[in-house]
């Protein structure tokens, strides 16, 4: 597409086009919308982005992203400390929270084991997970991992590591399609998958 605006606006469009779900055309539309709503939208968005940049941290306990450390989920006293839901990515944590599926705490691995891509246990927060799992108040680990080969490899690996521990390891049941990614599931499916979890 030929440039129709100065480099400052083209840059804005290019950056917006890198967001998931936005292609070049919708990025252009979004940019134009922001420009038209400079006072109402662009200024607050700029401020929100700046504040977020300053304040965002990775939770030292669970790996969630928040402006508090430990994060809001980890410090919420209404959550059941006996359950840890293990997810690959922060997006999965947020998806499960959206589905209001479980009232436990989380552990974000930072990915899944993938020998082909050279992702080994040392690249994920598996050691931290194992030490959290040995906390006497933790009774159950729910492996909420993608129904992909890598997701299931990771689930098996973690289960093996905790074979001799007192913690019960469960996994998601029906509803997660083979090859499916949690982030793309609707809330109902995700909620059912958590409720019908089975012993690993
Ligand atoms: Zn946390």
């Amino acid at each position: 597409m030929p440039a129709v605006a100065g480099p400052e606006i083209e840059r804005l469009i290019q950056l917006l086009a890198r967001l998931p779900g936005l292609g070049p055309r919708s990025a252009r539309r979004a940019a134009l919308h922001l420009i038209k709503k400079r006072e109402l939208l662009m200024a607050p968005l700029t401020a929100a982005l700046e504040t977020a940049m300053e304040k965002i941290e990775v939770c030292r306990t669970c790996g969630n992203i928040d402006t508090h450390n430990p994060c809001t989920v980890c410090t919420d006293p209404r959550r059941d400390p006996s359950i840890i839901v293990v997810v690959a990515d922060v997006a999965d944590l947020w998806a499960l929270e959206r589905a209001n599926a479980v009232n436990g705490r989380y552990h974000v691995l930072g990915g899944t084991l993938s020998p082909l891509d050279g992702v080994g246990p040392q690249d994920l927060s598996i050691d931290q997970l194992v030490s959290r799992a040995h906390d006497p108040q933790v009774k159950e680990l729910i492996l909420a991992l993608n129904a992909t080969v890598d997701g299931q490899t990771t689930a098996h690996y973690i289960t093996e590591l905790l074979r001799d521990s007192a913690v019960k390891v469960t996994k998601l049941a029906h509803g997660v399609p083979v090859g499916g990614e949690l982030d793309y599931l609707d809330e109902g499916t995700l909620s059912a998958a958590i409720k019908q979890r089975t012993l690993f």
Side-chain angles (χ1 to χ4, degrees):
M1 232 182 278
V4 291
E8 299 81 3
I9 293 176
E10 286 299 328
R11 169 109 181 113
L12 176 63
I13 295 167
Q14 278 167 17
L15 287 172
L16 286 170
R18 285 191 209 163
L19 294 174
L22 284 191
R25 278 180 58 157
S26 31
R28 225 159 254 282
R29 213 175 302 144
L32 193 56
H33 188 72
L34 282 170
I35 290 165
K36 282 183 182 163
K37 306 255 178 207
R38 277 196 291 290
E39 296 307 319
L40 222 61
L41 198 56
M42 202 187 228
L45 181 66
T46 309
L49 285 171
E50 247 167 43
T51 313
M53 264 310 277
E54 271 166 34
K55 296 202 168 165
I56 278 177
E57 287 188 63
V58 174
C59 174
R60 61 176 168 267
T61 307
C62 76
N64 188 17
I65 289 171
D66 201 352
T67 51
H68 302 280
N69 198 352
C71 72
T72 310
V73 174
C74 281
T75 51
D76 183 351
R78 289 161 302 180
R79 289 186 182 258
D80 183 352
S82 73
I83 296 176
I84 295 178
V85 184
V86 181
V87 292
D89 198 85
V90 174
D92 302 326
L93 187 164
W94 289 4
L96 285 162
E97 281 296 290
R98 236 177 16 241
N100 210 357
V102 64
N103 187 36
R105 300 216 166 110
Y106 290 90
H107 191 87
V108 181
L109 293 173
T112 42
L113 293 174
S114 179
L116 285 178
D117 297 321
V119 182
Q122 71 287 347
D123 300 309
L124 309 174
S125 61
I126 289 180
D127 284 350
Q128 295 94 309
L129 173 63
V130 169
S131 74
R132 284 183 77 189
H134 282 96
D135 181 330
Q137 70 175 348
V138 175
K139 306 284 179 231
E140 181 179 2
L141 225 60
I142 303 176
L143 301 177
L145 297 167
N146 290 337
T148 55
V149 173
D150 288 348
Q152 293 316 296
T153 304
T154 311
H156 279 286
Y157 183 82
I158 292 169
T159 310
E160 279 306 312
L161 284 181
L162 294 169
R163 189 159 292 284
D164 298 326
S165 75
V167 73
K168 182 167 82 170
V169 181
T170 58
K171 60 172 179 161
L172 299 186
H174 312 289
V176 182
V178 173
E181 296 194 18
L182 296 189
D183 190 23
Y184 289 94
L185 295 183
D186 64 277
E187 282 81 1
T189 307
L190 207 45
S191 184
I194 278 276
K195 288 194 184 105
Q196 298 166 28
R197 65 188 180 272
T198 56
L199 207 57
F200 205 94

